[in-house]
Amino acid sequence: MSVQIHPTAIVEKGAELGEDVTIGAYCIVDAKTKIGDGTVLRPFASVCEYTELGENCTIYEHAVIGGVPQDLSFRGEETRVKIGKGVVCREFVTINRAVGEGGATTVGDGCLIMEGVHFAHNVTVGRECTIANKTGLSGHVWIGDYVVIGGMSGFHQFTRVGSYCMIGGMSRVTQDVPPYALAAGIPLRVYDINRVGLKRRGFDMKTRSKIREMYRIIYNLGLTNREGLARIGELYPEDAEAKMILDFAEASKRGLTPRMTQDWTHGSEEKVD
């Protein structure tokens, strides 16, 4: 199958199109773009300059990928948007280029970006994330792998969300959400571990119980976050899940999201499942 370009589409000279690419009606593809094999642009989609789309992506109607950043510090420098393989961007998604020479806004493989979502400049989203309708990620937001974000949530600049988290819909995220957490609300609070998401990702009951105990230490023993994290380092010195939590906390600039006011009890197997 060769490249299919609808006669009403505009594909500028200098755009690189892979094998089996489909460009729908009234699409616009700028020069200095690269579209991977098997990718489909549905009618009215736009791919702006300095944008790279991986293989087998689908960009739906009226999405704009690679638009100029909405930031007053941008001076026309060469920055990019890089989209991984198998990414789906639904209707009216907007993903803006970075600010700062050589910078990039990136989206990992296998993400589902639902209708009306906006990624501002210098955003990083990991692999296989699901981000629901009308969510907005401000500049320099960092999202780990396998994260689920509920619709109409808003993210403050420079906030970070660890891998395997779930953020409830209509949340306001102003501090960093540590890995494996379930968080929601205005103001945002950590409620528990993301036990359903972890189970779906293959974490067994023993591992889920261990992660929950780590968060009980951080949030529920009357310790400061610093003291709780130090305790985890002592109790789980060679543990992969502990290392992910500790590394995330060490890199945090905005502080960890607080827990809900209700105490967590020590999670039994019945409570974890």
Side-chain angles (χ1 to χ4, degrees):
M1 179 179 176
S2 60
V3 174
Q4 296 187 20
I5 302 176
H6 193 277
T8 61
I10 299 173
V11 180
E12 292 187 357
K13 184 178 180 180
E16 298 181 36
L17 306 183
E19 295 292 327
D20 301 330
V21 166
T22 300
I23 310 294
Y26 301 101
C27 289
I28 298 175
V29 179
D30 287 349
K32 303 175 185 176
T33 57
K34 184 176 181 180
I35 299 179
D37 297 350
T39 286
V40 175
L41 305 186
R42 292 182 58 80
F44 297 97
S46 296
V47 179
C48 304
E49 62 178 357
Y50 302 114
T51 296
E52 180 177 339
L53 297 176
E55 299 173 5
N56 300 313
C57 295
T58 304
I59 312 300
Y60 276 75
E61 287 81 355
H62 301 285
V64 179
I65 312 300
V68 170
Q70 301 172 63
D71 188 290
L72 294 175
S73 67
F74 182 68
R75 294 293 181 267
E77 61 268 25
E78 184 176 320
T79 61
R80 298 186 176 276
V81 166
K82 296 182 180 180
I83 308 294
K85 300 177 182 179
V87 173
V88 175
C89 295
R90 293 302 304 251
E91 299 82 357
F92 296 98
V93 164
T94 56
I95 300 178
N96 288 351
R97 287 164 50 195
V99 170
E101 187 70 34
T105 297
T106 63
V107 179
D109 296 347
C111 288
L112 170 58
I113 315 300
M114 297 186 190
E115 177 270 335
V117 169
H118 174 65
F119 292 169
H121 59 87
N122 303 85
V123 163
T124 299
V125 177
R127 62 183 295 115
E128 295 185 39
C129 294
T130 299
I131 302 180
N133 307 60
K134 302 295 192 300
T135 290
L137 275 58
S138 299
H140 302 278
V141 169
W142 183 92
I143 307 293
D145 299 331
Y146 314 115
V147 172
V148 176
I149 298 173
M152 294 187 284
S153 295
F155 288 72
H156 193 283
Q157 286 190 336
F158 295 97
T159 50
R160 301 169 70 248
V161 177
S163 296
Y164 301 101
C165 283
M166 182 171 185
I167 309 296
M170 301 184 69
S171 292
R172 185 176 67 195
V173 182
T174 60
Q175 290 180 283
D176 297 343
V177 184
Y180 312 113
L182 173 66
I186 302 176
L188 193 75
R189 291 291 182 264
V190 172
Y191 282 75
D192 203 336
I193 66 168
N194 180 21
R195 54 192 178 88
V196 174
L198 292 176
K199 187 174 182 181
R200 289 173 177 169
R201 289 289 174 183
F203 288 76
D204 60 24
M205 183 177 292
K206 181 179 179 181
T207 303
R208 300 196 305 271
S209 296
K210 177 188 63 180
I211 293 169
R212 198 170 195 273
E213 173 61 12
M214 292 177 191
Y215 279 112
R216 191 183 74 90
I217 292 170
I218 295 172
Y219 285 129
N220 241 59
L221 295 185
L223 305 174
T224 64
N225 281 355
R226 186 184 300 272
E227 292 168 341
L229 292 163
R231 181 78 62 86
I232 288 173
E234 294 168 359
L235 294 174
Y236 303 94
E238 305 295 332
D239 185 86
E241 287 76 31
K243 185 178 188 304
M244 181 178 284
I245 294 170
L246 294 172
D247 288 349
F248 182 91
E250 184 177 1
S252 176
K253 298 295 191 296
R254 295 191 59 82
L256 300 184
T257 298
R259 64 170 174 82
M260 62 184 292
T261 55
Q262 180 181 344
D263 287 345
W264 295 8
T265 57
H266 187 177
S268 66
E269 290 189 351
E270 290 78 14
K271 288 177 180 173
V272 171
D273 257 353

